[in-house]
Amino acid sequence: MWTVIAGAITGLFGASYLGIKFWAPWVVYDLKYIWTVMISSVLPMLSDIKKRKLPIDRFQETVKRDPQKTMLIVEKSSFSYGEGNARANKIAHSALSLGLKRGDVVAIILANEPDFIWTILGLQKVGVQMAFINFNLRNESLVHVIKVAEPKMIFVSREKDIQNPVSDIKNELAGIPIYHFGEADDPDFKPLDGVIEESSDQDVSEEFRKEIKMIDNCCYVYTSGTTGLPKAAYIPYEKVVKASWALAALNISKDDIIYTSLPLYHSAASLLTVENVIRTGATVVLKKKFSASQFIRDCRDHRVTVVHYVGEILRYVAATPPSSSDSDHCIRCAFGNGLRRDVWKIMSDRFKIPHIYEFYAATEMPVGMVNISNKLGAVGRMSPLLKMTLPSEFVLYDQATEDVVRNKDGLCVLAPLDTPGLLLLKLNERRRMTFEGYKGKESERKKKLVHDVIVPGDCYINTGDAFTRDKDYFVYFADRLGDTFRWKGENVSTTEVANILVELDILTDACVYGVEIPDNEGKAGMAAVSLKHSLKTDDLSLTQEQIKAIAQISEKHLPSYARPRFIRVVKEFEYTIPSSKAS
């Protein structure tokens, strides 16, 4: 990376050869970006990768440096780094006593609770992989996400609402032992608290993780499956290291108190927030559920300095009645993604949050951008100069087929500024090692590759996301391609929902898609369905019994955010045959 940065600076001073005005405003933005992001974040991150220093090693350094410092605040409880380390050690020793070894997988089904933090730290200490399971899933979806990870065992929450769905599917889990925190009603669940209580709270030997390589897998994080059920994305240790340094550009330090209510089974909370906290010695305020009416009060009471958001939760905050205490807080910045421009303005003007860092990243993709300039609506930058550090292209695509547009030579057509372009990442050797794709879905990795983009024979990774750029090369999110939509901060697979609905005898087919609703983030689910009786009649109405049947199967098999909000009855669907022309 030193070579890349040196080359970028050299390129800047040689810009006149490219016809670029040396005093162009975007060059100033680039210099700030290079200094802030590259120097503070990328270089130390690359150093950790080269030295094979894992985030858990950084955590151990933090514990030794300041064991009495508050690490975690949950409701009315707080835990120091020393206490957190002792609890993580007990998990590590418990894992060893249960027969787990480096490379084994444990499926974690936990809410935003202290047990989640101690578990991910403890298992990292002994090199055990983790699968972060969405506890909202039910039945077939829950069985799938557990089994695809091939876990040696399952750790489930002490909360009965999380235990019960697991109990419902236990007979389909091929004898995978289920260990529970706290109490459990299911006699087949094995108690974990007793094992933890009897385990040592002393540090385990570093020998347990001595052989770990940066390309080895650390955990699985699930993404919405465009062809059905969620996919388990490989998250190698190198990507965890990168995530642990991602907030360095925000000047995160041990003095910061970071607020998050995002679920820890998502990488944004577990990898981005938690790993940056333990690296720096900061404090995290972890909320189980988000409350818009309590948000500012919580931040004030805990003296929060940094807020982690998704756009929807800040929209809820912006919708609360104005108060004279709206700006009575210690928040110096907020970071996240999906923030609408109108909400951004409200958070800046009414709530007086001085700096908002909107970013773009994707769980399984080797890419990340961040807007450090407080530019309204932007998710980052990508100029000709910065492309030297992140080789990528924005190309035109067909909105109907979602295929890339090609010229007469069979190469991709670059998208002009201010025109939506599909982001493609050049597949170099480093990205080949870290972009492993999905467990059990190795063929899906190949589907993400686009060949012959700029020159014949080259290869790029298709992010599936489209962006526009302005004249200063700020990047703005435009659209997400594929059979998914986002609602309530979660990605919803249209195929998965449709497959559940068509199990009903009353339906011949179903097509699910997202629809925009005024004053709401993302898109709500719309299910277009054809009824068996409508083929013989023009009656397109639903009876109360049919509506009830759709509601019941949705509630039984789908998490709340994936259930259709609207039902549209059609007489029959028109089907098109995809073109066989290669793109």
Side-chain angles (χ1 to χ4, degrees), residues 308-328:
H308 182 197
Y309 69 84
V310 289
E312 188 162 16
I313 68 172
L314 291 190
R315 181 181 64 80
Y316 293 147
V317 175
T320 59
S323 168
S324 59
S325 61
D326 282 344
S327 59
D328 182 14

Side-chain angles (χ1 to χ4, degrees), residues 275-322:
E275 297 293 349
N276 276 271
V277 164
I278 65 174
R279 175 183 61 80
T280 59
T283 300
V284 60
V285 176
L286 182 64
K287 297 292 291 183
K288 181 180 177 182
K289 292 183 179 180
F290 176 74
S291 170
S293 61
Q294 295 292 322
F295 172 71
I296 289 296
R297 183 183 301 174
D298 283 340
C299 291
R300 185 186 306 121
D301 291 346
H302 295 299
R303 302 191 64 79
V304 168
T305 58
V306 180
V307 170
H308 182 197
Y309 69 84
V310 289
E312 188 162 16
I313 68 172
L314 291 190
R315 181 181 64 80
Y316 293 147
V317 175
T320 59

Side-chain angles (χ1 to χ4, degrees), residues 94-299:
S94 297
L96 295 174
S97 69
L98 292 172
L100 293 169
K101 59 184 184 300
R102 179 172 63 85
D104 286 343
V105 180
V106 173
I108 299 172
I109 312 178
L110 297 165
N112 280 17
E113 52 191 307
D115 291 331
F116 200 122
I117 305 295
W118 318 142
T119 299
I120 62 175
L121 293 176
L123 294 183
Q124 285 186 66
K125 282 173 178 274
V126 292
V128 172
Q129 300 179 68
M130 301 155 284
F132 297 160
I133 306 298
N134 180 345
F135 58 81
N136 293 296
L137 298 178
R138 299 290 186 270
N139 298 301
E140 294 92 340
S141 296
L142 184 55
V143 172
H144 166 77
V145 296
I146 293 174
K147 293 179 73 172
V148 74
E150 299 182 300
K152 294 292 185 180
M153 57 190 63
I154 300 167
F155 288 179
V156 67
S157 173
R158 61 183 69 242
E159 297 185 14
K160 299 298 175 63
D161 288 345
I162 297 177
Q163 290 182 9
N164 292 338
V166 180
S167 183
D168 291 341
I169 63 166
K170 64 182 180 182
N171 293 332
E172 301 177 57
L173 295 179
I176 302 171
I178 302 170
Y179 289 86
H180 67 89
F181 290 92
E183 302 292 330
D185 296 330
D186 193 317
D188 293 326
F189 285 13
K190 302 175 184 294
L192 191 56
D193 285 0
V195 181
I196 295 173
E197 184 64 29
E198 295 176 1
S199 297
S200 170
D201 63 358
Q202 298 302 301
D203 286 331
V204 299
S205 171
E206 295 181 3
E207 291 295 317
F208 286 107
R209 51 185 185 275
K210 183 178 180 180
E211 301 300 322
I212 291 177
K213 300 179 179 64
M214 284 293 165
I215 60 174
D216 291 343
N217 194 56
C218 175
C219 59
Y220 298 103
V221 178
Y222 293 81
T223 64
S224 294
T226 56
T227 57
L229 297 168
K231 297 177 292 188
Y234 289 102
I235 307 294
Y237 283 94
E238 178 172 318
K239 186 153 190 172
V240 180
V241 172
K242 290 178 178 179
S244 73
W245 280 98
L247 300 187
L250 282 61
N251 295 315
I252 299 295
S253 74
K254 65 182 181 64
D255 298 321
D256 277 308
I257 300 174
I258 305 178
Y259 171 102
T260 187
S261 61
L262 275 62
L264 289 169
Y265 58 74
H266 280 324
S267 57
S270 57
L271 302 185
L272 195 59
T273 298
V274 173
E275 297 293 349
N276 276 271
V277 164
I278 65 174
R279 175 183 61 80
T280 59
T283 300
V284 60
V285 176
L286 182 64
K287 297 292 291 183
K288 181 180 177 182
K289 292 183 179 180
F290 176 74
S291 170
S293 61
Q294 295 292 322
F295 172 71
I296 289 296
R297 183 183 301 174
D298 283 340
C299 291

Side-chain angles (χ1 to χ4, degrees), residues 20 184-185 187 238 316 380 411 445 452 531:
I20 301 172
D185 296 330
E238 178 172 318
Y316 293 147
L411 303 177
R445 180 183 185 275
D452 303 330
L531 303 172

